Amino acid sequence: MVSVLLVDDHQLFREGIKSLFADNERFNVVACAEGGEQALALAKEHRPHVIVMDIAMPDINGIDVTKRIMNDYPQTKIVGLSMHGDRHVVTNMLKAGAAGYLLKEDAFDDLIKAIDIVLQGKIYLPEKLSLLVLQTLHTEETTVQLTNRETRVVQLLASGEGTKEIADTLSISVKTVETHRANVMRKLNLNNLADLTRYAIRNGLIVP
Amino acid sequence: MVSVLLVDDHQLFREGIKSLFADNERFNVVACAEGGEQALALAKEHRPHVIVMDIAMPDINGIDVTKRIMNDYPQTKIVGLSMHGDRHVVTNMLKAGAAGYLLKEDAFDDLIKAIDIVLQGKIYLPEKLSLLVLQTLHTEETTVQLTNRETRVVQLLASGEGTKEIADTLSISVKTVETHRANVMRKLNLNNLADLTRYAIRNGLIVP
DNA sequence: TAATGCCTCAGGAAAATCCCTAGTCCTGAT
DNA sequence: ATCAGGACTAGGGATTTTCCTGAGGCATTA
């Protein structure tokens, strides 16, 4: 019997997946978390074999939660789950220690397959994503990582704050905010605020 | 026995909800659609009592689908479903003819309640949303509606295209694009491209 | 016929952004 | 102890974008 922890901020989705698992006698959903903090707590309490983890969540994003759980309980198998297969999200999730990843547009059977495979110590990725990951590794974009300050600026920018407001919020100069912004744009190869906003949403830095 | 058509672009979500409905003998999920076009076809084929409709979909957004279905089969009861309760989305969905609306963060029991209530000819809204709608009605923002051209420009802007590129794409002047953009900003009370991008995503005009 | 709304465009002022440079602070390695 | 490198900070000036105002053509409608 495989114990599963389900992490997603949408109750309807959690209930649905739980109901699907209930039809399968090999799995037991021992708990559900609706956010990153709760996920950490429930992982500690239940020590599940597998965690199915959404990426975009209001408090802590799935990537950071994964890092912390893999640090505390390295034997846990984590399967990432999100709506869109953004290159950086998927690779960062794998680098954070996730053993598998799939999209919400995939079938429940795929989730079962993914869990079986990660329990064997292997990595599970849908074809679509494995190509993407290989491509990303090839272009060496994996090392692209934002600093804390840059991430904060991106969050505020994508939330609709202007450069002046951000400078005020962070108590730094407008020029500094501009620098952070420009550095992020260059690092991530983005062209404008719309690109940056979509990036922030895809990566769970903000909610739409 | 209530026949239900399920419309959502994520298979995992569809399967989950279907599984939940399967536990309830009063409902029968007669079909599932993964997009707007398919929803129209399956609505025509099955004439379900109730349609549970996601808003953000790759081909046609839920609001337009709702309009067309309500036009063809006015007796159908449609319950809108989305991740975030954006004022304009909810009100536009209701104006399109939906009889209820709920969020993915709500419980399945709420969905059942919603269906029961809309089948009685009433409107179902969670408290959170009803307040929002009242507020929107009060501030008279319901009449805010984008023209075709404006919508197209918003789509392109939120997709990351620059003003010059859009002018080229639509074969119009840069100045005209600027005007459309400014009009949208004023209509929707947005301040910058980040706000506009999030609006476009929330309203299903583009995918993140 | 007027009136209204949509789409189209332009000029000029104001604001934001981009490009380049550069300083400080801190950490880790030699 | 010193040095290298990254993170964070910031300014000057050029460039681009945005904002505001005004306006003509065209279709639909009253």
Side-chain angles (χ1 to χ4, degrees), chain B:
Chain B
M1 191 82 161
V2 179
S3 61
V4 177
L5 168 60
L6 213 55
V7 184
D8 192 293
D9 54 335
H10 298 121
Q11 183 168 356
L12 257 175
F13 186 79
R14 289 198 308 272
E15 291 186 71
I17 301 300
K18 190 173 178 181
S19 172
L20 287 167
F21 272 120
D23 299 335
N24 194 316
E25 294 172 357
R26 294 172 41 226
F27 301 97
N28 179 28
V29 177
V30 292
C32 292
E34 59 181 350
E37 289 290 358
Q38 200 181 350
L40 291 169
L42 290 176
K44 182 177 181 181
E45 181 182 344
H46 294 281
R47 306 289 180 88
H49 297 121
V50 177
I51 302 179
V52 177
M53 174 104 61
D54 188 26
I55 306 300
M57 286 183 295
D59 52 351
I60 315 178
N61 72 66
I63 295 174
D64 291 336
V65 176
T66 298
K67 281 180 191 164
R68 291 170 62 174
I69 290 179
M70 290 310 289
N71 186 55
D72 296 345
Y73 320 108
Q75 76 288 359
T76 310
K77 298 301 179 184
I78 297 183
V79 177
L81 192 61
S82 70
M83 297 201 291
H84 306 285
D86 183 78
R87 279 221 296 267
H88 300 104
V89 175
V90 178
T91 49
N92 282 332
M93 193 66 184
L94 294 175
K95 284 170 71 180
Y101 202 101
L102 53 97
L103 304 178
K104 291 193 179 181
E105 69 189 32
D106 291 329
F108 183 67
D109 277 349
D110 294 325
L111 179 54
I112 299 293
K113 271 185 216 160
I115 293 179
D116 283 335
I117 286 179
V118 302
L119 284 175
Q120 293 168 26
K122 302 174 190 169
I123 300 288
Y124 177 90
L125 280 183
E127 282 182 46
K128 191 193 291 185
L129 293 186
S130 52
L131 285 174
L132 214 62
V133 170
L134 285 177
Q135 189 182 339
T136 305
L137 290 174
H138 188 258
T139 53
E140 212 113 12
E141 283 184 30
T142 32
T143 43
V144 175
Q145 197 149 8
L146 301 186
T147 67
N148 294 333
R149 210 56 165 169
E150 285 167 346
T151 303
R152 186 83 190 104
V153 170
V154 168
Q155 284 177 333
L156 295 171
L157 278 171
S159 300
E161 286 201 30
T163 307
K164 258 194 293 293
E165 298 171 89
I166 296 174
D168 200 50
T169 303
L170 301 179
S171 299
I172 57 179
S173 158
V174 168
K175 280 298 190 180
T176 305
V177 178
E178 286 178 6
T179 303
H180 285 312
R181 175 202 173 111
N183 287 338
V184 170
M185 294 287 203
R186 191 176 32 72
K187 274 189 185 180
L188 302 177
N189 199 30
L190 308 174
N191 291 317
N192 53 42
L193 198 48
D195 287 343
L196 185 139
T197 304
R198 294 202 316 284
Y199 171 87
I201 290 170
R202 284 200 306 265
N203 291 43
L205 267 50
I206 63 163
V207 288

Side-chain angles (χ1 to χ4, degrees), chain A residues 147-150 172-173 175-176 179-180:
Chain A
T147 67
N148 293 333
R149 210 57 165 169
E150 284 167 348
I172 57 179
S173 157
K175 281 298 187 179
T176 304
T179 303
H180 285 313

Side-chain angles (χ1 to χ4, degrees), chain A residues 160-172:
Chain A
E161 287 201 28
T163 306
K164 254 193 297 292
E165 297 171 272
I166 297 174
D168 200 49
T169 303
L170 301 180
S171 298
I172 57 179

Side-chain angles (χ1 to χ4, degrees), chain A residues 123-134:
Chain A
I123 300 288
Y124 177 90
L125 280 183
E127 282 182 46
K128 191 193 291 182
L129 292 186
S130 53
L131 286 174
L132 214 61
V133 170
L134 285 176

